Amino acid sequence: MLLMLGLCFLLFSAFPLAFSERCHPQDKKALLQLQKDLGNPYHIISWNAKEDCCEWFCCVKCDEKTNRVISVALSSPFPDTNLSAQIPPSVGDLPYLESLVFHKFPKLVGPIQPAIAKLTKLKYLDLSNNNLSGPIPDFFAQLKNLDDIDISFNNLSGPIPSSLGKLPKLAYLDLSRNKLTGSIPASFGSFQKPGPAIMLSKNQLSGRLPASLANLDSDRIDLSRNKLEGDASMLFGSNKRTWSLDLSRNNFAFDLSRVEIPHKTLARLDLNHNKIYGSLPVGLTKVEHFQLFDVSYNQLCGLIPKGGELQKIDKSLYSHNKCLCGSPLSPCNHKQMTV
């Protein structure tokens, strides 16, 4: 009997971690408080206090070496989920968090939680498809490790804070489908290269683009469906890495013939419903393949350059211009050639 007890003692001593939790007590406490603050939504999360939080089936990830919680990803599988709350302050009590997701909760309301400013290791922030309101907070600029910000599909209002331009590692910024007003900050021309993908569509932004955006080198820029005006030619450039540029449904007015096309990378160009004038630049013929090309509803004129894919594009995507001509449109007459 004594021998068996001795063997059991040795067994438990040799493998102490096999019978203890990986999860840090502070992290577990914060997560359980988060669950409580959200009203214990069992159809989304059902974290059990008796279990190791690093082993919870849903929504939590721990670092393999430190065992600290590095990811909380809450997403509703049901469009009519009844979770009705604000983002709880307890989310700020997870100091090692690198990824935070609250996605697709139509009854998640209120402002972006100030406690998020405490998450200095945060790299990925997804608060999209909720019903958040209020301004975009300046404290984002304190989170120097942020790589990805998606706060699209909310009811956020007010201006875009210029402090976002100070984020040194930002690679993706999606502020689309909100109620943002004002102009695009000049600080967006200060992003470290390569610049982040910038998605600002379907807001109420207005005014002229700052000249500093000539320094912006992003693979995707979407400014569509706003009230922006004036010159946007600085967004073009032969040496830029632009893959997709969408300026559609604004009031931009500039001479398209003077822009330099990033033909090595460009695949999507949408300029429809603006006041863009001049002729189509020959550089468009060097683009190997267009996934999208639309210059309709502008004031363009002259011969569509021959070559590349320009003659293969549906003629409706050239329609409602001042006097564009040539294949795939009607042949040019003398007046169109001399305008």
Side-chain angles (χ1 to χ4, degrees), residues 165-289:
K166 299 177 182 179
L167 290 170
K169 299 181 181 179
L170 195 63
Y172 184 84
L173 177 65
D174 193 346
L175 311 180
S176 60
R177 292 179 183 263
N178 280 287
K179 297 177 180 178
L180 302 174
T181 56
S183 58
I184 295 175
S187 64
F188 276 24
S190 300
F191 282 118
Q192 295 187 16
K193 294 184 178 181
I198 295 178
M199 322 300 284
L200 305 179
S201 67
K202 295 185 178 180
N203 279 288
Q204 299 170 22
L205 300 172
S206 60
R208 302 175 68 88
L209 299 186
S212 61
L213 293 192
N215 299 321
L216 187 62
D217 188 12
S218 303
D219 62 346
R220 284 175 290 171
I221 300 175
D222 187 352
L223 309 183
S224 63
R225 295 178 182 268
N226 281 288
K227 302 175 182 179
L228 298 164
E229 60 186 32
D231 189 4
S233 63
M234 78 288 288
L235 298 177
F236 293 83
S238 59
N239 294 320
K240 292 191 175 184
R241 61 190 192 102
T242 311
W243 174 78
S244 176
L245 178 59
D246 190 344
L247 306 180
S248 62
R249 295 183 180 271
N250 281 286
N251 291 304
F252 288 122
F254 59 93
D255 187 347
L256 190 62
S257 65
R258 296 180 178 274
V259 307
E260 296 182 345
I261 300 299
H263 60 270
K264 295 179 181 179
T265 56
L266 188 65
R268 300 173 63 88
L269 180 63
D270 194 347
L271 306 178
N272 80 78
H273 285 83
N274 279 287
K275 300 175 182 178
I276 300 170
Y277 55 91
S279 57
L280 295 177
V282 176
L284 289 170
T285 63
K286 299 180 182 180
V287 176
E288 292 185 3
H289 176 64

Side-chain angles (χ1 to χ4, degrees), residues 57-124:
F57 176 74
C58 170
C59 317
V60 175
K61 181 181 179 181
C62 295
D63 184 89
E64 292 297 327
K65 294 181 179 180
T66 66
N67 295 327
R68 300 305 298 259
V69 172
I70 57 172
S71 175
V72 173
L74 302 178
S75 182
S76 171
F78 312 109
D80 58 344
T81 179
N82 60 4
L83 183 148
S84 182
Q86 296 190 23
I87 299 173
S90 48
V91 77
D93 296 328
L94 295 163
Y96 288 82
L97 209 61
E98 297 179 4
S99 177
L100 176 63
V101 177
F102 282 88
H103 172 70
K104 212 171 185 180
F105 295 111
K107 295 181 182 179
L108 189 68
V109 297
I112 295 176
Q113 174 55 243
I116 292 174
K118 296 160 62 177
L119 305 176
T120 57
K121 296 183 183 296
L122 200 63
K123 298 177 181 179
Y124 181 87

Side-chain angles (χ1 to χ4, degrees), residues 118-140:
K118 296 160 62 177
L119 305 176
T120 57
K121 296 183 183 296
L122 200 63
K123 298 177 181 179
Y124 181 87
L125 179 64
D126 183 353
L127 304 178
S128 63
N129 291 79
N130 297 302
N131 201 14
L132 301 175
S133 59
I136 298 174
D138 269 322
F139 68 68
F140 279 168

